[in-house]
Amino acid sequence: MKTIFYEAFFFCIIFISCIQSKSKHITEFSQSDIKNGILIDLRTPEEYGLGHLHKASNANFLDSSFLTYFDTISKSKTIYLYCKKGSLSTKAAHKLDSLGYTAVNLLGGYNALEENNN
């Protein structure tokens, strides 16, 4: 009985670790990270217009057509995602991962980057 419990527990740990999205703190991100990828700002166009990372494209996560933005992006490219604080980019990374993309959530969001620069 204990063996079955331990096997199930081990399987759960492996399964959970496999479904977690990749992440990196936004302050550790550099433009060289997107040599073979794409950088996406998930905030609204208004927020994007107030400032964004160099070479970032805007794909508003709250827009109903959000996922259609990725229809033309190759699944071989790594997609780096950020938002204002990091919660929307976490959700977007999980969604894109489930669709077969390689998504990296930039933790902390644009706010953390601004705080780090001040």
Side-chain angles (χ1 to χ4, degrees):
M1 182 73 168
K2 284 185 180 181
T3 304
I4 294 172
F5 172 78
Y6 288 121
E7 287 175 358
F9 179 76
F10 181 73
F11 174 78
C12 288
I13 296 297
I14 297 297
F15 180 74
I16 290 169
S17 67
C18 289
I19 62 169
Q20 290 179 347
S21 297
K22 295 178 178 92
S23 61
K24 179 179 207 172
H25 199 276
I26 197 164
T27 57
E28 298 170 0
F29 174 79
S30 72
Q31 290 295 315
S32 64
D33 289 328
I34 58 170
K35 285 180 187 171
N36 295 314
I38 184 169
L39 178 61
I40 306 291
D41 185 319
L42 301 169
R43 300 174 300 155
T44 65
E46 294 78 21
E47 291 171 311
Y48 178 83
L50 295 174
H52 56 272
L53 292 176
H54 181 65
K55 295 187 179 179
S57 299
N58 184 229
N60 182 2
F61 182 74
L62 301 176
D63 191 319
S64 61
S65 63
F66 167 72
L67 289 176
T68 61
Y69 180 86
F70 299 91
D71 289 345
T72 59
I73 295 175
S74 170
K75 290 186 179 180
S76 66
K77 289 189 174 208
T78 301
I79 302 171
Y80 294 89
L81 303 163
Y82 73 94
C83 59
K84 186 173 182 176
K85 295 181 181 179
S87 60
L88 293 181
S89 57
T90 300
K91 293 175 186 176
H94 285 294
K95 183 63 178 170
L96 291 172
D97 281 342
S98 74
L99 296 173
Y101 293 94
T102 301
V104 177
N105 176 22
L106 298 178
L107 299 170
Y110 194 74
N111 284 3
L113 191 63
E114 284 188 319
E115 289 174 13
N116 190 55
N117 290 334
N118 288 332

